[in-house]
Amino acid sequence: MWKQVRERETGVINPKLFANRVKSNRNSSLQLSNYKEIVSAHRGAINSLQVDLTEGRYLLSAGADASVAVYDVQRATEYVASGLVAKHKNILLVDKQHEHGHKYAVSSAIWYPVDTGLFVTGSYDHFINVWDTNTTQVVMNFKMPGKVYKTAMSTLSTSHMLIAAGTEDVQVRLCDIASGAFSHTLSGHRDGVMAVEWSTSSEWVLLTGGCDGAIRFWDIRRAGCFSVLNQSNTQLGRRSPLLQRVITNKASTSKSSSVGTSSKSRTAQGKHVNGNGSKHSSITKKNFSQEKASAGKRLHPGLISSQDRSTAHYGAVIGLKMTSDGLYLLSAGSDSRLKLWDVESCCNTLVNFDIVRLQTSKTMQLAVSPDSDLVFVPCMSTVKAFSMWSGQTMLSFRSHYDNVNSCWYNEQDQELYTGGGDRQILVWSPFRSNFEHEDEWNSKQQGIALDQDNWSD
């Protein structure tokens, strides 16, 4: 480690490369935290977890007992074990006793992307509630036609305030917070929708996964979906390796430059011989453009029933997660398969993930590291970290006593939070020695002493 620090100081290593190395080393040493504990306020299974995107400080959790809780993961409520273990209790709790609380299990809870003053909850009681965090009152609610499985809001949006809702109904509905009404109804799935995910590269693109095994891409500015993923449409043989593509591009450019003069002379001779060479070339270009346009129309998924009925999994799609750069999409199905998709080509990259056993009855929440190198997947009572590009199992986290339903990676603290059917929220953090614990405790005690005044009684 110190060698890399010296290389960074002397300029041998790029600062960004050094930061990525440190982060990857910390991710590889994740373990059950022995200095931080979250005291769960739920009396049922944990269905959803999310840390706010503005401060990276407040953890929002949803439970099967119709309760929603907020925890401060940076400021502890109390310290135990001689100050070595920090306990974090809930600073906000909404349950069935609340006048506007949900009646049944809360399946999804998300923060408003811009501010922690609002959060959104979706429940099996067919309602989506928008809450004011400061007053714990419902600002508005939306009545859905069935159980709410998943809700999502775009983190890039600057033009709309839409909540995408996946329910047991075949239609995906977009709820507008600004107007308090439904703005869109997306039809195309043939069964309930269990997974919704906004694109991380465009605020207008929405991805949905249904119980019919289909993953659809929607542009909310247009009618109908513009792409349906097909598991038989693979990337194998479509793209040449990167080095080979670079060589072929250089060869093609050199060929075009060498043949440029001869082609000019040939076209000139053709004009003199035929007398109407320009007219013939314009006709061929026109025919080519018409053929290209007709081919584009033929490939539209809304016009071909076979492509519109394509499936990405042999079972229900229970989880979707897009990488931070918006280039790849990871999907999980009730067929216990994980698949990585190239968003640009809509092809299956054929990454062979290790054999896993996934839940089939409820939505699953996936998590991805900031560098998109690791993906954290709940596999029954364990959480496995797979390499995104090779599919190998890099880490396994075993401490839950029941099935794990959700996981969230906190980029700021580089910690992983997991929640399961055992009603517990576990914290997985990088390895820290006892000396670091003692130093942190001493610094906190010094800060407390500085805050105290020296007035006498």
Side-chain angles (χ1 to χ4, degrees), residues 70 91-95 98-101 111 115-119 130-140:
V70 177
I91 58 176
L92 183 148
L93 178 64
V94 177
D95 53 12
H98 194 279
E99 56 180 348
H100 300 294
W111 284 108
D115 188 12
T116 56
L118 293 176
F119 64 90
V130 181
W131 297 82
D132 187 337
T133 310
N134 298 318
T135 62
T136 63
Q137 296 297 321
V138 176
V139 179
M140 64 181 65

Side-chain angles (χ1 to χ4, degrees), residues 62 67 85 147 151 174 185 204 230 335 393:
S67 63
V85 179
K147 295 179 181 178
T151 57
L174 301 184
T185 300
W204 308 108
N230 188 352
D335 54 356
T393 304

Side-chain angles (χ1 to χ4, degrees), residues 230-251:
N230 188 352
Q231 56 185 328
S232 62
N233 185 19
T234 62
Q235 207 176 48
L236 185 63
R238 284 181 169 269
R239 290 186 179 182
S240 55
L242 181 60
L243 181 61
Q244 185 177 352
R245 278 186 288 172
V246 173
I247 295 174
T248 53
N249 290 336
K250 287 183 179 180

Side-chain angles (χ1 to χ4, degrees), residues 319-373:
L320 292 175
K321 187 65 178 178
M322 182 171 279
T323 56
S324 58
D325 53 11
L327 298 179
Y328 293 92
L329 172 69
L330 185 75
S331 65
S334 60
D335 54 356
S336 293
R337 291 289 184 270
L338 296 173
K339 295 182 180 180
L340 185 65
W341 305 86
D342 186 349
V343 175
E344 182 182 0
S345 62
C346 296
C347 292
N348 184 4
T349 58
L350 295 179
V351 175
N352 186 19
F353 289 94
D354 290 342
I355 298 176
V356 293
R357 185 184 174 192
L358 306 178
Q359 295 190 63
T360 59
S361 58
K362 60 193 311 182
T363 304
M364 184 175 61
Q365 186 179 357
L366 310 174
V368 178
S369 61
D371 56 357
S372 301
D373 188 31

Side-chain angles (χ1 to χ4, degrees), residues 46-151:
I46 311 297
N47 292 330
S48 176
L49 293 173
Q50 187 184 19
V51 177
D52 69 283
L53 305 177
T54 54
E55 300 180 47
R57 176 177 176 179
Y58 299 105
L59 175 65
L60 179 65
S61 63
D65 59 342
S67 63
V68 181
V70 177
Y71 307 87
D72 189 346
V73 296
Q74 292 185 0
R75 179 173 296 179
T77 308
E78 61 179 348
Y79 290 89
V80 297
S82 301
L84 296 180
V85 179
K87 284 195 173 185
H88 300 259
K89 296 182 179 180
N90 61 287
I91 58 176
L92 183 148
L93 178 64
V94 177
D95 53 12
K96 286 184 178 180
Q97 280 67 36
H98 194 279
E99 56 180 348
H100 300 294
H102 291 288
K103 300 299 183 292
Y104 302 114
V106 181
S107 57
S108 177
I110 58 174
W111 284 108
Y112 183 60
V114 182
D115 188 12
T116 56
L118 293 176
F119 64 90
V120 182
T121 59
S123 173
Y124 284 179
D125 61 2
H126 303 188
F127 277 96
I128 293 178
N129 291 345
V130 181
W131 297 82
D132 187 337
T133 310
N134 298 318
T135 62
T136 63
Q137 296 297 321
V138 176
V139 179
M140 64 181 65
N141 57 8
F142 301 90
K143 180 70 168 65
M144 309 303 291
K147 295 179 181 178
V148 180
Y149 291 129
K150 189 70 175 176
T151 57

Side-chain angles (χ1 to χ4, degrees), residues 204-226:
W204 308 108
V205 178
L206 177 67
L207 293 72
T208 60
C211 297
D212 54 356
I215 298 177
R216 294 178 178 269
F217 286 59
W218 310 83
D219 188 339
I220 62 174
R221 297 168 296 181
R222 300 190 304 174
C225 68
F226 65 88

